[in-house]
Amino acid sequence: MTDKTKDELLADFVTTSPGYYRQQFQKIGASAKFTWTFNWVAALLGPIWYGMRGLWNWALAFVILEAFAYIQLGRGVFGDLGASGRERIEQIEGTLAFRREQLEAAKEKNADNVDVFERTIASLEEAIGNIQLEVAQAEAGAIWVALVGVGALLVVKAIAGVVANSALEKRFSDWLSEPTISSGLNPFRTAIAAIFSALVVATCVIHYAFPGAVTWLADFPTDPGIRLGAIDRVEAFFAFIIETGEWFFQLITFGIRTVLDALEVLFVDTPWPVIASFIILLTWLSAGSRAAIFAAAFLAYMGFLGFWEKAMTTLALLGTAACISIAIGIPVGLFCARRPRFYAVVRPIMDFMQTMPAFVFMIPVIAFFGTGKPAAVVTTMIFGGTPVVRLTVLGMRGVPESIREAAIAYGASKWYLLTKVDLPLAAPSILAGVNQTIMLSLAMVVVASLIGAKGLGEDVLEALQYASVGQGILAGFAILFCAMILDRVVQGKRE
């Protein structure tokens, strides 16, 4: 490529009309600002031109915009804009006929509710009249819908023509430094762009302008038996796991229950002055006197409003989930940081744990562990256990290699390198991961109360069920204050 002149390279890149593009590219390159040029071929072909030139980001954007314009044009010219209104009229007429029958029966029996039926019938007749007026207005406005489509199409075509040369000039600059970028006019790429654009526009226009004409466009063609069969297979799989792994789930439950009982004894059964003074002192040592004063105020809020025992139960539940998550997450993060292949396997699992809605993974958790606090702890760990792993990996990979190489050169062992070099330098990131794990675990308090976890989440859930605004707000503030105390204790004066 370096043996060719720039004009020859340009001709190889654009294939067609090199003189035109040479002039336009020189005009664009002469100014640091956006230069107004217009490409009539790009305006005419729209997304097809961008696709054949390999500018797929622009091609997808213009496909969407042109599809919208063609939809409006098709609705205005061919569509039945009053169809939905007429369907509503048919539904109301069915109800109206039934009410009229009820009215006649009530008149024959000289019932007391004749006037009620008459008012209902009058209201339904008035609704039909209003909908008929809406239908007439919608049908009369079809020409304006079509004109909007035409106007939108012209605007989109104009934008496509204005952007084309600048986008292609940028791609040409990238191609000069990276020859692997596709160039020229590839027949396959052109066919893909044309077929894709035509399919998208045609499908959208048919669906919106002629609703119901092609039924499989609205409803995915499937068989209910496929879903039912999949449900049976999933249930059989979980039944097999529960039957064969019962001892394993009982062992996990025993371990969680052991830690949880110990923390409940510490937080719930210990006299409140001891726990309160301990939390205030810990906050003072970690974050200073100002944070300790706020922690004392927050604890007083929980005590005076009767949230003390539930707040301590919440802290015990949270502490169990967070401690187990941190105890597992930091070693896993340290292991993954130096083994990219292993982390490539673990990372999709963590993505799944974070993106799957909590109410979905609660279903297998209940199947394996039943309802109650152990199941709530497992649910909380699934949701909140991943940040400590990710940030531990990030912190360990952020340790400068020059420092590690210097330590190794001076004879540092692996243990010394880990404890005296890697962990101190990665500590800010690891602590941020611990903090995020605690915060996300606390966010699961309300969700965990659905499966038998006690604590402040139970008050919020009850407030949601009975629309008790006051109770929900007060309990929510208690959860917020727990989070703020824990955040100060963990973060300390690092900031």
Side-chain angles (χ1 to χ4, degrees):
M1 179 177 287
T2 55
D3 296 335
K4 296 182 178 181
T5 65
K6 190 172 183 180
D7 289 344
E8 291 174 337
L9 292 173
L10 177 63
D12 292 341
F13 178 78
V14 298
T15 303
T16 60
S17 305
Y20 167 78
Y21 286 111
R22 183 185 308 110
Q23 179 184 2
Q24 299 302 318
F25 288 1
Q26 289 175 352
K27 181 179 178 182
I28 293 170
S31 174
K33 299 179 180 180
F34 181 79
T35 304
W36 292 92
T37 62
F38 196 85
N39 190 319
W40 288 99
V41 178
L44 180 63
L45 297 180
I48 299 176
W49 184 90
Y50 284 90
M52 60 194 289
R53 291 294 183 180
L55 301 167
W56 289 108
N57 291 337
W58 288 102
L60 293 175
F62 284 117
V63 163
I64 295 172
L65 294 174
E66 287 195 8
F68 169 78
Y70 281 117
I71 286 170
Q72 297 302 102
L73 181 60
R75 289 178 66 238
V77 176
F78 305 107
D80 186 0
L81 301 181
S84 61
R86 283 191 288 272
E87 290 178 2
R88 290 163 55 197
I89 290 174
E90 291 179 1
Q91 295 174 355
I92 295 175
E93 285 178 344
T95 305
L96 183 60
F98 178 68
R99 295 302 182 193
R100 283 172 176 166
E101 292 177 1
Q102 289 181 320
L103 176 60
E104 294 299 327
K107 287 181 177 180
E108 292 177 359
K109 298 179 181 179
N110 293 323
D112 296 334
N113 57 352
V114 171
D115 57 336
V116 176
F117 288 120
E118 290 177 344
R119 287 196 300 270
T120 302
I121 290 172
S123 176
L124 293 173
E125 290 175 344
E126 183 180 359
I128 290 175
N130 292 334
I131 296 173
Q132 288 175 340
L133 181 60
E134 293 176 3
V135 169
Q137 292 175 346
E139 292 176 343
I143 182 62
W144 295 107
V145 175
L147 290 176
V148 167
V150 172
L153 184 61
L154 293 176
V155 170
V156 172
K157 292 291 187 183
I159 295 174
V162 170
V163 172
N165 290 331
S166 297
L168 190 60
E169 191 272 340
K170 182 180 182 302
R171 187 172 180 83
F172 175 62
S173 300
D174 296 338
W175 177 73
L176 290 176
S177 57
E178 183 56 54
T180 58
I181 295 176
S182 58
S183 61
L185 296 178
N186 185 288
F188 177 76
R189 194 166 59 233
T190 303
I192 291 295
I195 294 172
F196 178 76
S197 301
L199 282 177
V200 169
V201 172
T203 303
C204 291
V205 171
I206 291 173
H207 176 69
Y208 286 101
F210 308 99
V214 183
T215 55
W216 58 267
L217 289 179
D219 299 321
F220 193 91
T222 185
D223 184 0
I226 298 176
R227 176 173 172 269
L228 296 176
I231 291 174
D232 293 337
R233 287 190 292 272
V234 171
E235 290 181 349
F237 174 73
F238 276 96
F240 172 76
I241 293 179
I242 294 170
E243 182 179 352
T244 57
E246 184 178 1
W247 63 272
F248 177 72
F249 299 120
Q250 288 179 351
L251 183 63
I252 295 177
T253 302
F254 175 76
I256 292 174
R257 176 59 68 182
T258 301
V259 178
L260 183 59
D261 290 344
L263 290 178
E264 284 187 341
V265 169
L266 174 64
F267 285 106
V268 180
D269 296 339
T270 303
W272 69 266
V274 177
I275 290 298
S277 59
F278 176 79
I279 293 174
I280 294 171
L281 179 61
L282 184 61
T283 308
W284 175 63
L285 293 174
S286 177
S289 57
R290 183 178 178 182
I293 294 173
F294 279 107
F298 296 157
L299 293 173
Y301 170 89
M302 299 176 198
F304 284 121
L305 291 180
F307 291 127
W308 182 265
E309 183 175 350
K310 292 184 177 181
M312 295 302 106
T313 301
T314 298
L315 288 177
L317 182 70
L318 167 66
T320 303
C323 288
I324 298 175
S325 297
I326 293 168
I328 296 174
I330 292 179
V332 171
L334 295 176
F335 190 81
C336 292
R338 303 305 175 195
R339 294 164 180 83
R341 291 183 180 179
F342 182 76
Y343 187 54
V345 176
V346 172
R347 187 167 52 189
I349 298 174
M350 295 191 297
D351 293 339
F352 171 80
M353 292 165 62
Q354 284 192 302
T355 55
M356 178 65 71
F359 291 101
V360 176
F361 59 68
M362 280 171 60
I363 297 172
V365 168
I366 294 173
F368 296 147
F369 299 96
T371 57
K373 293 182 179 179
V377 170
V378 173
T379 303
T380 304
M381 289 171 55
I382 293 174
F383 183 77
T386 56
V388 67
V389 179
R390 293 183 186 275
L391 289 173
T392 298
V393 173
L394 180 65
M396 293 293 291
R397 290 183 174 179
V399 176
E401 285 297 325
S402 58
I403 297 178
R404 300 186 80 251
E405 291 173 358
I408 294 173
Y410 279 99
S413 63
K414 290 184 177 180
W415 179 253
Y416 185 92
L417 188 67
L418 175 65
T419 57
K420 301 298 183 181
V421 178
D422 290 340
L423 287 179
L425 293 176
S429 180
I430 295 174
L431 285 177
V434 171
N435 180 68
Q436 288 301 304
T437 291
I438 293 174
M439 294 300 106
L440 288 177
S441 299
L442 193 59
M444 287 293 292
V445 168
V446 179
V447 177
S449 64
L450 290 169
I451 55 176
K454 305 295 181 181
L456 294 170
E458 195 175 27
D459 282 52
V460 177
L461 181 62
E462 184 178 337
L464 288 172
Q465 291 173 339
Y466 298 102
S468 178
V469 178
Q471 177 180 336
I473 294 297
L474 294 178
F477 274 113
I479 296 174
L480 170 65
F481 293 153
C482 287
M484 294 177 69
I485 292 173
L486 291 171
D487 179 70
R488 290 295 86 202
V489 170
V490 174
Q491 291 289 344
K493 296 181 179 179
R494 266 198 329 108
E495 296 179 0

